[in-house]
Amino acid sequence: AFTYTALLQGLCDAGMVHEAMAVFAWMRPDGCAPDQHVYSTMVHGLCGAGRTGEADALLTEAMGEGFVPNVVVYNALIDGYCSTGDLELAVGVFEGMQSKGCSPNVRTYTELICGFCKSGKVERAMVLYSQMVEAGVAPNVVTYTALIQGQCNMGHLEFVFRLLHLMEASGLVPNEWTFSVLIDALCKSGRIEEAQQFLESLVQKGIKVNQVVYTSMMDALCKAGKFDDAHTLMHKMVMEGFVPDTHLYSSHIYGLCREGKLSEAMLQLDDMIDNGIQANAVTYTILIDKLLREFGSDGPKQIFDRMIVAGIKPD
RNA sequence: AGACAAAGAGA
């Protein structure tokens, strides 16, 4: 079963869920009974392919034959329902596992909290948060980050800082994800100066932030027309020896295009490729879109060919 | 020795 888990996971990760199902079906004839690890892998694989209903059916069938799922298996299914937005079904699984004597853990609660936050139901997420604390399950950084994101999306930015304090009071340290959620929320709600100040304060405290934070900042600056700040940001990062990734380069190229600096945008493209960073369909689309607007239907021809030559499939 | 949760770019 160890071998099978590894194999199934490999197939699922490669998007070969169909093949994984076939291998799974061969386990019994092969004399190897699927265990909890195998089931969680299959459930996760099916859910990742958008086949959550099948994952659920697979489990139900196995349980009918006496299989007893553990918390990891249930978590995989709950996560599947959360990511398709079927929150009530997720809650159904959550309640079902408890009635079968399986206690939810941090991940279970965090998945549900994240699901509710993403669909704008922060209140229910907060209820779950209280429930988990009551049940003696300690929230972790991921839990708090999800809640912070939920409150951010609702525009409750003041509440967010309360959550941050609550989190630190329980001995948890916000991480890069936490900061990226915060800064992105500040940016997307138009509070760019606050985001800039916050970012600056992090840097001064010696806290490392990553590409995601810089991309949020870059995106916001470009969309607000603050091109000089955007270029300065890019320049500063490069001076600090930071190598921007595909997202960051793309958002800067987007800014240059909006500013009308097409040739500089093209230079950035060369620059990223020189740095060994892959340009993808998004990157090329930004340039193609601008070239179309500037030069009409023949404008993007060269760049389109470059994209094809680079082996990038248009989407 | 194997399985599950949170963040950023274009149309």
Side-chain angles (χ1 to χ4, degrees), chain A residues 59-177:
Chain A
L59 255 195
T60 307
E61 194 195 327
M63 287 166 73
E65 292 164 0
F67 173 70
V68 180
N70 66 3
V71 65
V72 177
V73 179
Y74 283 118
N75 286 351
L77 184 60
I78 290 175
D79 182 50
Y81 279 132
C82 286
S83 41
T84 54
D86 292 314
L87 294 169
E88 297 317 320
L89 291 174
V91 171
V93 177
F94 174 70
E95 284 166 354
M97 71 190 275
Q98 287 168 290
S99 73
K100 292 199 163 48
C102 181
S103 306
N105 64 13
V106 208
R107 292 201 185 204
T108 321
Y109 283 105
T110 303
E111 288 171 4
L112 286 164
I113 285 174
C114 184
F116 280 115
C117 285
K118 278 187 180 150
S119 59
K121 298 179 175 164
V122 200
E123 302 80 17
R124 286 204 61 182
M126 290 305 291
V127 170
L128 278 159
Y129 168 79
S130 311
Q131 280 177 5
M132 77 188 284
V133 173
E134 249 172 63
V137 178
N140 63 18
V141 187
V142 180
T143 319
Y144 278 105
T145 302
L147 282 168
I148 287 172
Q149 187 177 20
Q151 296 290 3
C152 282
N153 290 342
M154 297 302 287
H156 303 159
L157 288 179
E158 305 324 317
F159 208 93
V160 163
F161 292 99
R162 276 184 23 215
L163 277 169
L164 261 184
H165 287 135
L166 204 61
M167 174 177 177
E168 285 170 331
S170 51
L172 295 169
V173 182
N175 63 16
E176 295 186 334
W177 284 64

Side-chain angles (χ1 to χ4, degrees), chain A residues 206-229:
Chain A
I207 296 170
K208 286 191 296 194
V209 292
N210 59 18
Q211 310 272 6
V212 177
V213 170
Y214 285 115
T215 304
S216 296
M217 212 53 251
M218 178 65 69
D219 178 59
L221 290 171
C222 290
K223 284 180 178 154
K226 300 190 170 192
F227 301 116
D228 290 339
D229 283 1

Side-chain angles (χ1 to χ4, degrees), chain A residues 245-247 249-250 272-273 275-280 283-284 310 312:
Chain A
D245 69 1
T246 306
H247 283 243
Y249 267 117
S250 297
M272 80 187 274
I273 292 168
N275 279 323
I277 310 300
Q278 275 281 331
N280 63 15
T283 322
Y284 282 105
I312 312 292

